[in-house]
Amino acid sequence: MDFGIKGRRAIVCASSKGLGKACAAALAEEGADLVLTARTAETLEATAEEIRSKYGVNVAAIAGDITSEEGRTAVLKECPDPDILINNAGGPPPGDFRDWSLDDWSKALNANMLTAIELIRQTVDGMQDRKFGRIVNITSAAVKAPIDILGLSNGARAGLTGFVAGISRKTVANNVTINGLLPGPFDTDRLAATMAPAAKATGRPVEEIYAERAAQNPAGRFGRPEEFGAACAFLCSDKAGFITGQNILLDGGSFPGTL
Ligand code: NAP
């Protein structure tokens, strides 16, 4: 299937590693030109070069913090009129809500709700004028099945999801879709990092906890980032213009509900 996005311009936030990188690679495989972002310039440039040489598309690497005004401005200066926007940022830390100050909440809301809303605000009308736009927000399975220790993530991502539920039903009239992709456990650095505290607390090797958790998933394994990237590329394709306001769970079947 030709996804029909060759030569389209895509901003992929937080994309030097993990799920963002997988989305970038899948879009590049379909011929989209990319603007990638991450805070660490060296890793970002290495990823940009890897994608450039593998897929032959144009890739700009803009190092900076996408949750800051400065970071967003630099990205939009490089690409003021994207056709595709993939919103992503690091997730907030786990913990007990009793320990979180308003400042902790403010940081989580900024990173996982308001940054995406601000990037949508600055790009969506141009997409509507040009009659093509695809926006994908990388959120979390926690939007559908909240995880108690991830209260900051549950709250911030649910806020973004609620906001998008409203506007995505308007923008679709101009062929601009906005959807959420909800990762369950995917094999990335972030996932590995979440296992370190459990290993420390129980005195068991990380590898043992990793294998145990992978086996607990109905698929018997964690998700592969490229599986996430492929779903993202499809949502960004010209074939997906009738899908908007949806929140698509990629979790190997962990969520036990019928719908
Ligand atoms: P990852 O492997 O740790 O990669 C995170 C990427 O984002 C890196 O490229 C990182 O580069 C960049 N980044 C982080 N904060 C940034 C910022 N403020 N500005 C710009 N770039 C930033 O993480 P991942 O597993 O792909 O997770 C991506 C998102 O999905 C996170 O929000 C995570 O909470 C969520 N999620 C992941 C899973 C999973 O199983 N993997 C499950 C549910 C939800 P720098 O550090 O250099 O900036």
Side-chain angles (χ1 to χ4, degrees), residues 104-189:
D104 295 322
W105 273 108
S106 182
K107 284 186 184 129
L109 292 172
N110 180 47
N112 297 113
M113 176 184 173
L114 301 176
T115 287
I117 292 174
E118 181 59 10
L119 286 169
I120 292 170
R121 183 181 76 79
Q122 297 210 38
T123 56
V124 77
D125 287 338
M127 291 178 182
Q128 294 202 91
D129 291 346
R130 297 188 302 279
K131 306 291 182 213
F132 181 91
R134 299 286 183 263
I135 300 175
V136 173
N137 298 316
I138 299 178
T139 60
S140 171
V143 167
K144 209 164 151 77
I147 302 164
D148 58 356
I149 56 164
L150 291 178
L152 290 169
S153 172
N154 300 338
R157 297 186 200 276
L160 173 62
T161 305
F163 166 75
V164 164
I167 65 157
S168 57
R169 269 95 183 167
K170 290 282 185 196
T171 60
V172 69
N174 289 311
N175 192 24
V176 177
T177 66
I178 316 179
N179 292 290
L181 270 185
L182 284 55
F186 273 81
D187 199 358
T188 65
D189 285 3

Side-chain angles (χ1 to χ4, degrees), residues 10-208:
I11 294 176
V12 188
C13 301
S15 50
S16 66
K17 297 197 283 185
L19 303 179
K21 178 181 177 180
C23 293
L27 291 168
E29 192 170 357
E30 293 303 317
D33 292 323
L34 306 175
V35 177
L36 306 185
T37 89
R39 292 162 302 182
T40 315
E42 205 182 341
T43 331
L44 179 64
E45 191 43 60
T47 294
E49 186 46 36
E50 185 186 323
I51 293 177
R52 254 183 232 121
S53 56
K54 189 162 179 193
Y55 301 109
V57 295
N58 296 312
V59 185
I62 306 295
D65 184 343
I66 198 65
T67 70
S68 72
E69 181 76 42
E70 197 189 3
R72 289 188 292 272
T73 303
V75 170
L76 292 172
K77 190 171 169 216
E78 175 67 31
C79 182
D81 298 314
D83 304 304
I84 294 167
L85 168 65
I86 313 300
N87 280 313
N88 186 29
D96 184 324
F97 76 92
R98 294 168 189 83
D99 299 327
W100 294 329
S101 65
L102 283 183
D103 189 46
D104 295 322
W105 273 108
S106 182
K107 284 186 184 129
L109 292 172
N110 180 47
N112 297 113
M113 176 184 173
L114 301 176
T115 287
I117 292 174
E118 181 59 10
L119 286 169
I120 292 170
R121 183 181 76 79
Q122 297 210 38
T123 56
V124 77
D125 287 338
M127 291 178 182
Q128 294 202 91
D129 291 346
R130 297 188 302 279
K131 306 291 182 213
F132 181 91
R134 299 286 183 263
I135 300 175
V136 173
N137 298 316
I138 299 178
T139 60
S140 171
V143 167
K144 209 164 151 77
I147 302 164
D148 58 356
I149 56 164
L150 291 178
L152 290 169
S153 172
N154 300 338
R157 297 186 200 276
L160 173 62
T161 305
F163 166 75
V164 164
I167 65 157
S168 57
R169 269 95 183 167
K170 290 282 185 196
T171 60
V172 69
N174 289 311
N175 192 24
V176 177
T177 66
I178 316 179
N179 292 290
L181 270 185
L182 284 55
F186 273 81
D187 199 358
T188 65
D189 285 3
R190 157 105 180 160
L191 187 77
T194 63
M195 294 186 195
K200 200 173 166 199
T202 57
R204 296 167 62 203
V206 172
E207 297 74 28
E208 200 176 299

